[in-house]
Amino acid sequence: MQVFEKDPSAAATSERDLSRPTMVTTLAVLAGYMAPAMIYDALPPILPRIAEHFGGGSAGEWVAQMSVGLAILGTGFGGLVAGLSVARLGLRTTLMVGWLIFAALGSLGFIIDDARLLLASRFATGLGAGMLLGACTVAIGMSYDARARPRMTGFGLATAAGSAVIFLSVAAIAAQVSWRAPFAVHALLALVTVPLVVFARFPPVRPQVSFSLGELAVAARRLAPAYALILVLVLVGNLFIVQTTFLLNSRGFSDPDLIARILVISPIIIGIANVSFGALEARIGLHNSIALALGCFAVGATCFGASTTLPMTALGVGVGSLGVGIGVPAAFVSAMNGCDEKIAPHGIGLATALNCFAGFLAPMIYVPLYHLVGYDATYLGVGVLMVVSAVLYQVGARARPAAAVGGAE
């Protein structure tokens, strides 16, 4: 049985059995990370026009907001579907179906005039994007050995960060022709990427998909630390991306250009950290990488909560985003390393789903917290929690056998 761990005694033989992925395979895997980026970034430039088209006022704004929110929620469910689909149909079929759903339903906004149909299509578009994200993450776990997974995971997430910047620009340009034009970009992206999936070489997936209760219990115990990390890293990372807008507004900085100049720091830092993650992990190890990410969150949150100046806030965005860029790929690699060949599609698929669900839940947690204790206290409290978490993680990681936390350093 192939075991996705970095423990040489358990995995050395199976790692040698992994074929070297072709360039087309690598490009097909990286392309799958572009779809979720489009979910977040293709529509923001036209959200006011969507709101206006569907009646304006609070009702129109609700439709516009939910066109993104439901797509993100669908992405989370898509991660769950990806695990089941890969286990039964294989990687290539899952990716083809994901791109078909993403292209066909993502482009429906070009012609739809009914708000309910638009929102349903956006949820389905997210479902397709989640299938692509989940399947490509599974593909990394199954196609690349333990040394290559951190590098490929970082490259995949960096592709998403870079795509976000590109899609924002493309959507803004397309919207000058028609406010509906950005919807058509979904189909255009699929036309470019589907040929890569057709000619890629993916490893076969074991057809057995039934598990005993004992196997499920062992897998759950092995993967629980990685899943907890994903939830923590994504929920806290949201403070330095989406929530920054509301923090700035609460302090009187509401100019869109100013907010954009502060927020653009985040994808740049995250992209650089993603690209560099493989080299960082090889030098300091997976455990230390995760502890470093938690430490960056602590420093970033303290910068936000302890000072109201723009330079300190910008520093907080940069340091916190560095934590996101290091921590998220580290958590995904931890989940990959904790899966054997049999459980990989389901285990890794659930990891990608948790990533999306955490992003969807973040505002439901933070908005009431802001009203209860205020922005500054929220960020300072998170900073203290991250310091404690980093210490406890290091102590726990050293106390447990390396394989139990998803890979040895």
Side-chain angles (χ1 to χ4, degrees), residues 216-232:
L216 288 175
V218 170
R221 185 168 60 252
R222 189 167 65 238
L223 290 169
Y227 290 158
L229 277 171
I230 290 173
L231 288 173
V232 170

Side-chain angles (χ1 to χ4, degrees), residues 161-409:
S163 299
V165 177
I166 294 172
F167 291 147
L168 279 171
S169 301
V170 170
I173 294 172
Q176 295 179 7
V177 178
S178 168
W179 71 267
R180 293 181 181 270
F183 287 102
V185 179
H186 295 75
L188 294 176
L189 179 62
L191 287 174
V192 174
T193 54
V194 164
L196 297 174
V197 178
V198 172
F199 293 104
R201 292 182 180 179
F202 296 113
V205 178
R206 292 180 59 178
Q208 185 177 5
V209 294
S210 59
F211 311 98
S212 67
L213 290 177
E215 288 176 314
L216 288 175
V218 170
R221 185 168 60 252
R222 189 167 65 238
L223 290 169
Y227 290 158
L229 277 171
I230 290 173
L231 288 173
V232 170
L233 291 166
V234 175
L235 281 172
V236 177
N238 188 273
L239 286 170
F240 306 102
I241 306 171
V242 178
Q243 302 304 318
T244 303
T245 300
F246 301 101
L247 174 74
L248 290 170
N249 186 67
S250 72
R251 292 174 173 174
F253 303 110
S254 57
D255 179 67
D257 290 337
L258 175 62
I259 292 175
R261 287 197 297 272
I262 298 295
L263 292 183
V264 78
I265 296 171
S266 184
I268 293 173
I269 296 295
I270 290 174
I272 294 172
N274 288 159
V275 170
S276 306
F277 174 71
L280 177 70
E281 191 274 344
R283 178 174 293 273
I284 70 174
L286 188 61
H287 299 328
N288 289 331
S289 297
I290 292 170
L292 177 60
L294 295 173
C296 287
F297 283 164
V299 174
T302 302
C303 289
F304 271 55
S307 174
T308 59
T309 65
L310 279 176
M312 190 62 70
T313 301
L315 178 63
V317 172
V319 177
S321 298
L322 182 62
V324 176
I326 296 171
V328 174
F332 276 133
V333 170
S334 182
M336 293 175 192
N337 291 343
C339 290
D340 59 32
E341 184 180 13
K342 185 177 181 181
I343 200 72
H346 305 282
I348 299 174
L350 179 56
T352 61
L354 289 173
N355 174 66
C356 299
F357 287 142
F360 182 78
L361 289 174
M364 301 181 188
I365 296 173
Y366 291 132
V367 172
L369 197 57
Y370 294 151
H371 287 286
L372 182 65
V373 301
Y375 286 92
D376 294 346
T378 297
Y379 278 93
L380 289 174
V382 169
V384 172
L385 286 175
M386 290 301 98
V387 171
V388 174
S389 298
V391 173
L392 291 178
Y393 180 82
Q394 282 289 65
V395 172
R398 296 183 187 283
R400 292 190 298 269
V405 293
E409 294 183 37

Side-chain angles (χ1 to χ4, degrees), residues 46-65 179:
I46 62 169
L47 288 180
R49 297 296 301 276
I50 293 176
E52 180 183 349
H53 182 78
F54 289 100
S58 59
E61 290 178 5
W62 184 85
V63 173
Q65 293 279 0
W179 71 267

